[in-house]
Amino acid sequence: MSRPAVRLLAATLLLAASAAMLAVPATATAQGANAAPPAPPVPAKGVPGVLREVRFGVLPLGGTVESRALWTPLMADMSRSLGLPVSAYSVPSYEELDRAIGRDEIDMAFLSAKMALDAVMQRRMKVVAQIAKQPGIPQHRAVLLMRKAGPLNTLAGLLAEPQRWRLARGDSRSVTGFIVPQSQFFLPNNIQMETRFLSEFVGTHQATALAVANGDADVATNNTTDFERFRQQFPVEAERLQVVWESEPPPGAPMVVRRSYPPEFQARLQNFLTGYGKAKGPRGDAEREVLKNLRAGYGYVEADDSALLPEARLEYQLGKQRAMAASWVNEAAREQRLQRIEKTYAEQVEALRAPNR
């Protein structure tokens, strides 16, 4: 299929997903009842800074319904803990979630490190927690998937003739679906993901894996966490696939909240997240099961904006790689671009390290 045809198909699928969202309310309370999209949270009369509702942005995993279902138990427990309704704002793409943040339609969210960095630098959000890690436990990594059966199923073949391959990748805001594979594999091998392939399809990690499994693409970006979830949900399709490349551990995805929240409320949210799954007995067991389903088996730990320094460094390195690989009118133009990259990175580092932002 030609590149224009593939792009047309991708656009058609996105429009269909958007239509489905309009047919079913995009938000639902944490208790599971459908509701109309909530109005922006407003202060209670006479009590400055007290919110009536928390709108939780759900990063798309498979589909909007599936993503919302995974987060609903945690949101229900959060609602009980905070004494406020917590509603899911679920969307079919990173782009839609990014726009919702820009429109101040989201109060807190679990975001890719790239999206979190953008939201923090725009002073809309701040980091309060991230997934806890345990020494010796395999870490989350970006991967490349290919079919086990040929003919296009080896890294050597990919590197030799990328123009013959059909790529299924994540959104440019996806750390494991785009940024890490681009910076750690493709650009070091002189391959620009956006221009060197026969065609490309952009979708969720579930969609990219399905594209390769069903023969609609030849190679897909993905990650170990979502591919394990894919194995459980689509065992037949997963059996057709193989992991042919793994990255170094990428920057983790953080939990962010609206920066304008009252500090006391930010602290309550942070305490809820870091204490979730730590209790003993049936309640703790239930919470740990929720965390397991969210691929956060060890819970969440306290974090601040400095947790995004690895992502800022990754984007800095990627920017330099692109600048060095690109064609320029003259060397002065390239140098000017490199200077802008250095300046942007320095500003990010200063902002992320600043206390009490």
Side-chain angles (χ1 to χ4, degrees):
M1 185 180 295
S2 66
R3 183 186 294 267
V6 171
R7 292 188 181 279
L8 179 59
L9 175 59
T12 302
L13 291 173
L14 182 58
L15 287 173
S18 300
M21 282 180 60
L22 294 174
V24 179
T27 57
T29 64
Q31 290 76 13
N34 290 331
V42 296
K45 291 183 178 180
V47 188
V50 176
L51 302 176
R52 294 189 183 277
E53 182 176 34
V54 177
R55 299 166 298 179
F56 190 105
V58 178
L59 191 67
L61 299 173
T64 56
V65 175
E66 177 188 348
S67 300
R68 186 167 56 197
L70 285 170
W71 285 101
T72 292
L74 184 140
M75 290 189 294
D77 290 339
M78 184 187 299
S79 178
R80 285 188 288 270
S81 175
L82 300 177
L84 283 173
V86 178
S87 62
Y89 194 112
S90 54
V91 293
S93 69
Y94 284 73
E95 182 178 11
E96 284 300 314
L97 186 56
D98 209 18
R99 289 176 180 172
I101 293 171
R103 294 191 298 260
D104 291 328
E105 295 174 348
I106 289 175
D107 303 308
M108 68 176 298
F110 182 68
L111 299 177
S112 73
K114 162 64 175 171
M115 293 183 68
L117 179 61
D118 291 344
V120 165
M121 293 305 298
Q122 294 164 6
R123 300 191 62 79
R124 295 185 182 277
M125 296 282 185
K126 66 179 294 185
V127 175
V128 292
Q130 61 184 3
I131 294 176
K133 299 177 182 178
Q134 290 292 322
I137 302 300
Q139 295 189 48
H140 176 77
R141 296 172 186 266
V143 299
L144 291 180
L145 302 176
M146 295 179 187
R147 286 187 301 278
K148 293 177 180 177
L152 304 180
N153 64 346
T154 66
L155 280 180
L158 171 64
L159 295 176
E161 296 181 293
Q163 68 276 5
R164 293 183 56 203
W165 293 60
R166 298 165 299 167
L167 172 69
R169 66 170 177 87
D171 186 280
S172 60
R173 302 165 186 82
S174 172
V175 174
T176 56
F178 181 82
I179 296 173
V180 169
Q182 179 87 306
S183 65
Q184 291 188 17
F185 179 79
F186 288 109
L187 285 181
N189 286 290
N190 299 312
I191 297 173
Q192 287 273 1
M193 289 174 68
E194 307 98 312
T195 59
R196 286 293 301 280
F197 290 94
L198 177 65
S199 64
E200 68 173 9
F201 164 78
V202 178
T204 65
H205 295 302
Q206 181 186 102
T208 60
L210 281 172
V212 176
N214 293 331
D216 297 321
D218 303 307
V219 59
T221 62
N222 217 282
N223 64 62
T224 52
T225 303
D226 282 284
F227 188 46
E228 180 58 33
R229 183 181 287 115
F230 184 83
R231 288 182 189 277
Q232 296 174 3
Q233 295 175 322
F234 302 93
V236 174
E237 289 81 359
E239 186 57 31
R240 303 172 191 159
L241 301 175
Q242 60 176 330
V243 174
V244 296
W245 174 83
E246 282 193 3
S247 73
E248 294 298 314
M255 193 77 73
V256 299
V257 301
R258 185 192 291 270
R259 188 171 297 279
S260 60
Y261 264 1
E264 306 80 23
F265 199 77
Q266 292 181 19
R268 287 175 62 193
L269 279 172
Q270 188 176 61
N271 289 338
F272 166 78
L273 292 168
T274 56
Y276 196 75
K278 305 297 194 300
K280 296 181 180 179
R283 172 192 157 197
D285 291 340
E287 291 178 352
R288 284 184 284 275
E289 187 63 25
V290 172
L291 291 170
K292 180 181 177 182
N293 291 333
L294 290 171
R295 298 300 192 270
Y298 297 100
Y300 300 98
V301 294
E302 182 178 335
D304 58 26
D305 291 349
S306 66
L308 295 172
L309 285 168
E311 174 61 22
R313 178 72 179 176
L314 180 60
E315 291 190 27
Y316 164 70
Q317 293 170 336
L318 178 59
K320 289 181 65 176
Q321 286 175 307
R322 282 176 154 170
M324 296 305 296
S327 299
W328 299 88
V329 175
N330 52 49
E331 193 58 33
R334 187 199 307 272
E335 184 58 32
Q336 188 176 41
R337 175 58 180 161
L338 289 171
Q339 289 176 3
R340 286 200 300 270
I341 292 170
E342 294 285 350
K343 180 181 178 182
T344 298
Y345 178 56
E347 291 171 348
Q348 289 177 337
V349 170
E350 181 180 7
L352 296 174
R353 287 178 174 167
N356 301 320
R357 285 188 76 241

